[in-house]
Amino acid sequence: MIKVARPTSHGTVRVTFSLPAGEPAGAVSVVGDFNGWDPHAHPLRKRSNGARTAVVDVPAGTTLRFRYLAEGGRWFDDDTAAPAGDDGTSITVPAPDRPA
């Protein structure tokens, strides 16, 4: 599941990537164009409710392409995001509201 916050006054949006505990087993990272496809940049961390999450701040109005990388080199996509072909899945974060 992906949670996208409203754009801040600084022009960024906080995106939270979340997976249930133990699915899949072992360590998982979210890897995408926002972190140079670096599997060490955003590991999902276990929370008190059992879910595992990683949070990134990105520029408002951008489209993110990403995949998850599980222990053992297994790539998988987020079922709640739009498919983006061989690049995994994608989401577009909201742009800031513009005054009328």
Side-chain angles (χ1 to χ4, degrees):
M1 181 172 84
I2 301 166
K3 181 180 175 185
V4 179
R6 290 183 167 181
T8 68
S9 60
H10 301 291
T12 61
V13 173
R14 179 161 284 196
V15 179
T16 303
F17 298 90
S18 180
L19 294 174
E23 293 180 32
V28 179
S29 292
V30 63
V31 185
D33 53 8
F34 54 87
N35 63 15
W37 296 93
D38 178 355
H40 303 288
H42 293 99
L44 276 71
R45 305 219 186 271
K46 188 174 182 178
R47 304 298 176 206
S48 61
N49 65 0
R52 295 176 291 170
T53 64
V55 177
V56 298
D57 291 318
V58 297
T62 60
T63 297
L64 308 177
R65 298 197 190 294
F66 69 95
R67 297 190 83 190
Y68 295 106
L69 179 59
E71 207 168 282
R74 186 171 74 88
W75 291 92
F76 64 100
D77 297 322
D78 193 301
D79 294 339
T80 65
D86 293 338
D87 290 336
T89 52
S90 68
I91 59 169
T92 300
V93 297
D97 292 333
R98 295 180 185 209

